[in-house]
Amino acid sequence: MRRGLSGINLVALTLGFAFLYIPILLLIIYSFNESKLVTVWAGFSTKWYAAMVQNELLLDAAWMTLKVAFVSSSVALVLGTLAGLALARLGRFPGRTLFSGMVYAPLVMPEVITGLSMLLLFVALSWARGYWTVTIAHITFSMAYVAVVVQSRLLTMDRSLEEAAMDLGAPPVKTFFAVTLPIISPALVAGWLLAFTLSLDDLVIASFTSGPGSTTLPMKIYSQVRLGVTPEINAVSTVLVGIVATGVIAASLINKRAMVIREREAQAVVSD
Amino acid sequence: MNAKHEPKPRRQRAGRGLLRRGSVIASPYLWLLFFFLVPFVIVLKISVAEVQLAIPPYTPLFDWPEGGSLELFAVGDNYLLLIEDSLYIRAYANSLKIAAISTALALLVGFPIAYAMARAPRAWQATLVMMVILPFWTSFLIRVYAWIGILKNEGMLNGVLRWIGVIDRPLIILNTDIAVYIGIVYSYLPFMVLPLYANLVRMDRSLLEAAADLGCRPAGAFWKITVPLARPGIVAGCFLVFIPAVGEFVIPDLLGGSGTLMIGRILWTEFFSNRDWPVASAVAVILLLVLIVPIVLFQRHQQRQREADA
Amino acid sequence: MSRRPEHAGGEESTAPGGEAAFLRIEGVSKSFGNVTAVDNVSLDIARGEFFALLGPSGCGKTTLLRMLAGFENPSAGALLLDGVDLAALPPYRRPVNMMFQSYALFPHMSVAGNVAFGLRQDRVPRAEIAARVADALALVELSPLARRKPHQLSGGQRQRVALARSLVKRPKLLLLDEPLAALDKKLREQTQFELMAIQQRVGITFVIVTHDQDEAMTVADRIAVMEEGRIAQVDTPSAIYEAPRSRYVAEFIGDVNIFEGRASAVNGGDVLVEQADAPDGLAAPARADGPAAGDAVLLAVRPEKIEIAPEPLPPGTMNAMAGEVTEIAYLGSVSTYRVRLDSGRTVVSTHTNRLRDGGAAIDRGARVHLSWPVEASILLRS
């Protein structure tokens, strides 16, 4: 009944979002700082972006990161969807407890442990560390996130839709592709995006599992940050934040528009 | 594929069902066994090996010398070291302490935000949720990095405070435990806010009206109705902040001081600087044992919640 | 409760019996933004009365109730309970309790805990709380379930817990917001009688909000019919039914046939009305504010007051019409006949089935003659 927010709630939201966003805003603002000092404003400049674009090592690391993120999130999407499907739909099967334990464990496992254990496996197998080992490590921990997203969507999905398809003569596999998959597709997109950003973001596991020549962007940023704060890192960060923010906002706008269109169509049907 | 109209013999159909189930489970199962479980066995194995100057830098668990018999080398030295050198025990204890304090702070910061979100007009809520999630999508490393510039002695926070005139000497925050608390609260705030919000928004507003109707003041109703009903969200949020914070590496490394002992950092140092893989493995095994209690409690809590919702 | 044919005005009503009003609602309005939910409502409710606010959803009845409870503040007007202005009191200080439509039982407390909650707020001594909770649970026959949690109860049991919880503080005024809406039909009817019995036993003033006319007619001493934030009529159930003052009230309560006509003459106590379907005209008792000759009027007749017969009526009979039966609905205790008049308009007539085989059989398609006594006609202003 009551509209609007009471004063105290408004204050909580304002302070809360200020806390969440001011650090990121400051980071972006100081990427345009003329001075090398990130704390003193000395005028607007884009020279750090120019420096960033000319930094070959940085660009190589960025390219490597994108390749790893794309491949690992795509494989994780397939494996994670299968895992989510197994947990949500297959009921009891031998080794289910172990399986669900292994699916959920990476969500709460400290990254240092995951990284260390993956590395020790690769060493034991004498696999050369590089692009593929990082990718495999990323697949392993990000498939868990995909599995959780897919599983929860499957559990909330109306089972009678699948039953209707089977009742109309579609065998289970066909039902999955014709009915289940389209319905859970938003969860698949969300799962893929989540896996992609997690991979893009990862420092610890990549540090353990990468070798020479497979330095990722977070590793590069980390090594520079340890040497001190520079506006160039701010510029790189701004670009990354910009890409992610654009992607997420675009995705949610597309989603919202699809919903508005669907509602409008539904209303048109009703008013007919 | 018109199974419905021309039923196949029962056994053949059952066989196909089994095959279908098997094909769904097999690939993620095998992947996790090989890339998740086996590595842990290896960590366990190496944690009882000795360090040696070789590649790989640890002794094998089994050796089968030519002409000799199977020998088993397993040493508890690495674990003894963890007990004898107080550094490790202090680091474990300190990790738990920092994680606990950060979790409490995150609850204090997160609850008012989640509460205000749940009370906001319906039309705003999707946007507010998205605004909480959005920082989570931007790089963790970058968000931690952003705080260095703010918390430094000549950083922006000190600049603002001095400009207002609150302080005349800079506050030393960066490279202290306080900076680590700030970093953890900041990084994990969405994990606290979202489960709290999910719980608070489902709460029937008429319960608070009923409490007021029965003579309960707003503050009393908050403690007697809102907080008990938000308990599952509080518990979930606390676990989601506490568990990853214990093993955190990046935040203590970038924001903490040399005295900020946290076990994730110790493991990293043992591995990368000291190249002592067996000790690093032993540290990992113990860290996992420390975390197993909260992890199992959390899983059981989530399980109970799912059952209660169903 | 005597039927009072005369009423003062549209938005006002005094409590019966001449006693000073126990609850006085004075010119209360409430708007949300530019939507007016309650528009200048005045009501007087007597001590111990069972009063119903009746209307379709969105008519403002719930908003009025919530203002009494203190969850909404009136935009204008005053609320006086036993001479005390309620506006100054927050909900937790008002001697008023509410039974919520959703019941609003605290899910983390037991049945006894829910009932005791209000007493604990008043710091009532423990022993007294225990005794009063036990009494309240006994009153609603729930004593054996005191330790259960709300989710372990059936809908009807939850409803009783909510009632016990709102009664246990012995409020001066009990507000009931659609208290029976969540129950199925049979249980609802049974509970209506229990509610009346409990109200008589505890002697507390009850104000109930409902959209169910049968419920309001059953439980209430008086009913206020609301329409778009205003009071359309306040009266006893029988007066609301037998003497509605507007088309809205006549149509909201029960079924009704309404004929549009023109007053031709006032003959003693009766008004004669010209109407095309009645060759010899219609007649109705005059009203104090009744129409003058020549005014357009509405004449309402309840279906059960219309006689239906196969034989023609003697010429010159007032309130007589003829037509063809198009549908017969057999409802057990009564049958409803839909009759199409020669003009094409449909009139509904209801008859009690006193004999097992339906009495004088009238079949579908039969030509029938309808008539009713002058006293059955109700004049409404158009």
Side-chain angles (χ1 to χ4, degrees):
Chain A
M1 279 278 184
R2 205 153 299 173
R3 278 143 233 247
L5 268 175
S6 71
I8 194 160
N9 284 340
L10 208 59
V11 169
L13 279 186
T14 312
L15 288 181
F17 284 114
F19 177 60
L20 281 176
Y21 283 93
I22 282 178
I24 298 172
L25 285 178
L26 287 175
L27 183 89
I28 293 171
I29 291 168
Y30 278 90
S31 73
F32 295 104
N33 194 0
E34 173 73 35
S35 158
K36 192 163 173 53
L37 291 168
V38 288
T39 47
V40 183
W41 183 256
F44 181 83
S45 159
T46 53
K47 69 178 178 188
W48 303 109
Y49 289 87
M52 174 188 79
V53 173
Q54 278 152 16
N55 187 336
E56 298 253 334
L57 287 173
L58 204 67
L59 294 181
D60 284 350
W63 178 234
M64 168 67 69
T65 309
L66 283 177
K67 275 197 300 186
V68 169
F70 186 80
V71 174
S72 71
S73 57
S74 303
V75 178
L77 177 66
V78 175
L79 290 173
T81 304
L82 289 174
L85 197 64
L87 287 175
R89 286 286 191 269
L90 294 187
R92 305 237 149 266
F93 55 84
R96 189 193 153 99
T97 313
L98 175 65
F99 183 66
S100 71
M102 289 194 301
V103 169
Y104 286 121
L107 302 176
V108 288
M109 192 63 66
E111 290 169 313
V112 281
I113 296 184
T114 311
L116 177 71
S117 64
M118 295 293 294
L119 166 73
L120 294 179
L121 172 78
F122 298 139
V123 170
L125 293 168
S126 327
W127 287 5
R129 278 179 280 155
Y131 167 73
W132 280 109
T133 50
V134 177
T135 307
I136 287 172
H138 281 186
I139 292 169
T140 308
F141 84 87
S142 58
M143 69 181 271
Y145 289 84
V146 177
V148 169
V149 172
V150 169
Q151 188 200 4
S152 64
R153 181 69 193 93
L154 282 171
L155 288 177
T156 54
M157 179 185 151
D158 183 2
R159 282 303 288 270
S160 60
L161 295 172
E162 287 171 343
E163 288 163 359
M166 291 203 242
D167 181 67
L168 295 169
V173 175
K174 186 131 192 214
T175 300
F176 177 75
F177 283 103
V179 176
T180 316
L181 211 54
I183 290 172
I184 64 168
S185 60
L188 299 185
V189 173
W192 187 86
L193 278 173
L194 192 57
F196 187 83
T197 19
L198 285 168
S199 169
L200 215 60
D201 203 12
D202 168 64
L203 164 70
V204 175
I205 293 171
S207 297
F208 277 99
T209 52
S210 73
S214 61
T215 304
T216 64
L217 191 58
M219 291 167 66
K220 189 90 193 102
I221 294 174
Y222 174 70
S223 63
Q224 288 204 17
V225 167
R226 301 225 60 185
L227 300 175
V229 178
T230 71
E232 195 179 334
I233 294 294
N234 282 30
V236 177
S237 307
T238 303
V239 171
L240 276 180
V241 168
I243 290 171
V244 171
T246 317
V248 172
I249 291 171
S252 78
L253 284 182
I254 290 168
N255 208 354
K256 205 169 180 180
R257 248 190 64 183
M259 257 167 57
V260 168
I261 289 171
R262 221 175 302 150
E263 255 167 45
R264 210 175 289 157
E265 283 170 354
Q267 260 167 11
V269 170
V270 170
S271 60
D272 283 353
Chain B
M1 298 290 268
N2 44 1
K4 193 174 185 215
H5 305 290
E6 292 162 41
K8 300 252 180 348
R10 183 167 272 270
R11 185 179 303 166
Q12 198 182 331
R13 275 198 296 168
R16 260 223 267 157
L18 212 62
L19 192 71
R20 206 168 47 228
R21 289 161 61 101
S23 65
V24 168
I25 303 169
S27 44
Y29 210 145
L30 289 177
W31 181 284
L32 287 170
L33 276 181
F34 192 72
F35 289 114
F36 191 75
L37 199 62
V38 170
F40 274 103
V41 178
I42 297 175
V43 170
L44 239 117
K45 185 200 105 175
I46 292 173
S47 74
V48 292
E50 275 182 275
V51 67
Q52 68 175 27
L53 281 172
I55 298 174
Y58 54 86
T59 55
L61 182 60
F62 307 105
D63 203 358
W64 210 325
E66 276 180 47
S69 57
L70 177 71
E71 292 173 53
L72 179 65
F73 300 98
V75 286
D77 290 5
N78 303 315
Y79 291 99
L80 272 180
L81 176 74
L82 296 194
I83 297 168
E84 281 166 3
D85 189 337
S86 71
L87 172 80
Y88 298 100
I89 291 180
R90 275 192 292 134
Y92 282 115
N94 208 40
S95 296
L96 292 174
K97 186 193 95 183
I98 287 180
I101 293 175
S102 308
T103 304
L105 291 174
L107 180 60
L108 282 180
V109 174
F111 200 100
I113 299 175
Y115 186 86
M117 283 169 66
R119 290 283 168 274
R122 280 258 168 267
W124 297 12
Q125 296 207 349
T127 312
L128 290 175
V129 168
M130 168 139 147
M131 280 177 69
V132 171
I133 298 174
L134 194 60
F136 168 75
W137 289 89
T138 62
S139 169
F140 179 70
L141 183 60
I142 288 172
R143 281 183 293 144
V144 175
Y145 163 75
W147 279 98
I148 300 179
I150 297 172
L151 299 178
K152 284 203 301 188
N153 288 359
E154 65 278 18
M156 293 162 222
L157 180 65
N158 277 316
V160 170
L161 290 179
R162 257 206 280 206
W163 181 70
I164 300 173
V166 181
I167 53 169
D168 42 5
R169 252 174 306 151
L171 295 173
I172 298 166
I173 301 174
L174 190 66
N175 302 330
T176 67
D177 285 3
I178 294 171
V180 177
Y181 298 145
I182 294 175
I184 294 177
V185 170
Y186 180 70
S187 305
Y188 292 105
L189 197 59
F191 293 99
M192 181 62 85
V193 171
L194 292 176
L196 280 175
Y197 164 78
N199 230 281
L200 289 168
V201 79
R202 278 193 321 194
M203 201 179 101
D204 184 356
R205 287 282 280 276
S206 64
L207 293 178
L208 290 180
E209 290 182 346
D213 186 66
L214 294 166
C216 193
R217 296 159 157 283
F222 178 79
W223 291 109
K224 285 170 193 153
I225 310 295
T226 309
V227 170
L229 289 177
R231 219 182 66 106
I234 295 173
V235 174
C238 287
F239 275 123
L240 284 173
V241 175
F242 180 80
I243 294 170
V246 173
E248 185 53 53
F249 163 73
V250 175
I251 296 171
D253 194 59
L254 292 182
L255 301 180
S258 52
T260 307
L261 277 179
M262 280 191 79
I263 202 64
R265 237 176 140 190
I266 299 281
L267 192 154
W268 182 281
T269 317
E270 289 297 347
F271 184 85
F272 286 103
S273 310
N274 303 350
R275 292 191 62 76
D276 193 338
W277 294 17
V279 168
S281 299
V283 168
V285 170
I286 300 292
L287 174 54
L288 207 57
L289 287 179
V290 168
L291 281 181
I292 215 95
V293 174
I295 288 174
V296 167
L297 284 178
F298 178 56
Q299 299 278 26
R300 284 200 6 217
H301 175 260
Q302 294 296 88
Q303 185 68 33
R304 269 205 307 274
Q305 269 332 104
R306 272 195 291 274
E307 278 160 15
D309 287 347
Chain C
M1 274 162 291
S2 63
R3 190 180 142 184
R4 291 173 303 130
E6 240 79 338
H7 297 287
E11 276 84 37
E12 276 173 53
S13 159
T14 46
E19 187 196 339
F22 179 61
L23 172 65
R24 167 159 280 177
I25 299 170
E26 272 179 6
V28 164
S29 296
K30 174 70 186 177
S31 36
F32 299 102
N34 41 22
V35 181
T36 303
V38 173
D39 189 2
N40 191 24
V41 165
S42 296
L43 278 173
D44 280 354
I45 295 171
R47 192 188 298 271
E49 198 173 5
F50 201 141
F51 193 89
L53 294 169
L54 175 66
S57 60
C59 72
K61 57 191 193 300
T62 297
T63 306
L64 188 56
L65 198 75
R66 290 171 59 82
M67 285 192 280
L68 289 171
F71 303 133
E72 309 286 355
N73 291 319
S75 311
L79 300 165
L80 296 163
L81 180 63
D82 209 3
V84 177
D85 186 3
L86 286 179
L89 299 174
Y92 50 88
R93 289 258 177 72
R94 295 190 183 195
V96 173
N97 284 128
M98 175 144 160
M99 193 186 145
F100 289 77
Q101 182 174 10
S102 64
Y103 308 147
L105 298 180
F106 304 127
H108 56 301
M109 297 179 194
S110 67
V111 167
N114 265 282
V115 177
F117 185 88
L119 298 173
R120 292 212 186 102
Q121 303 317 310
D122 291 354
R123 310 204 184 284
V124 174
R126 257 162 196 277
E128 193 188 335
I129 290 182
R132 282 170 70 175
V133 168
D135 287 350
L137 288 177
L139 184 70
V140 296
E141 291 164 19
L142 274 183
S143 305
L145 304 182
R147 305 205 152 273
R148 294 255 186 109
K149 288 278 179 72
H151 66 89
Q152 297 167 311
L153 302 177
S154 72
Q157 290 166 340
R158 285 181 211 180
Q159 189 266 345
R160 288 149 181 272
V161 177
L163 182 61
R165 187 178 73 175
S166 52
L167 278 173
V168 76
K169 291 188 76 175
R170 297 173 195 150
K172 289 185 172 176
L173 179 65
L174 184 74
L175 309 171
L176 304 102
D177 185 8
E178 302 271 7
L180 310 177
L183 305 181
D184 60 51
K185 192 174 187 312
K186 239 193 153 63
L187 189 56
R188 191 162 61 223
E189 284 167 3
Q190 181 196 333
T191 313
Q192 284 166 4
F193 288 104
E194 288 176 9
L195 211 52
M196 290 162 72
I198 286 173
Q199 197 256 346
Q200 270 162 20
R201 190 144 12 128
V202 296
I204 293 172
T205 311
F206 277 30
V207 175
I208 185 174
V209 152
T210 179
H211 66 275
D212 180 343
Q213 43 148 319
D214 292 337
E215 185 170 299
M217 305 278 277
T218 307
V219 300
D221 298 328
R222 281 195 308 150
I223 298 173
V225 181
M226 291 189 68
E227 176 189 18
E228 289 174 358
R230 295 168 160 275
I231 303 277
Q233 187 169 352
V234 185
D235 242 318
T236 59
S238 63
I240 293 260
Y241 186 78
E242 301 292 358
R245 281 193 288 117
S246 66
R247 178 177 200 150
Y248 174 81
V249 174
E251 286 182 334
F252 191 79
I253 311 276
D255 294 320
V256 70
N257 297 294
I258 290 184
F259 302 99
E260 290 158 11
R262 189 166 293 280
S264 57
V266 180
N267 177 11
D270 295 345
V271 177
L272 304 182
V273 176
E274 282 174 17
Q275 206 272 343
D277 290 301
D280 297 308
L282 301 176
R287 289 166 44 157
D289 56 343
D295 287 354
V297 293
L298 296 176
L299 193 146
V301 191
R302 298 286 183 192
E304 74 278 7
K305 308 235 176 354
I306 301 182
E307 290 286 343
I308 182 165
E311 305 84 22
L313 295 151
T317 312
M318 285 212 197
N319 296 339
M321 296 174 177
E324 185 183 311
V325 176
T326 56
E327 263 173 78
I328 303 172
Y330 174 74
L331 301 173
S333 59
V334 295
S335 289
T336 297
Y337 298 83
R338 296 176 72 82
V339 176
R340 194 170 64 225
L341 305 181
D342 300 334
S343 66
R345 122 200 297 283
T346 297
V347 172
V348 180
S349 165
T350 310
H351 275 259
T352 310
N353 294 321
R354 256 179 263 165
L355 301 174
R356 278 191 68 190
D357 59 359
I362 295 174
D363 293 325
R364 211 163 76 160
R367 176 120 190 123
V368 291
H369 298 270
L370 306 170
S371 65
W372 63 91
V374 173
E375 307 79 63
S377 297
I378 308 157
L379 264 190
L380 307 171
R381 234 168 320 168
S382 55

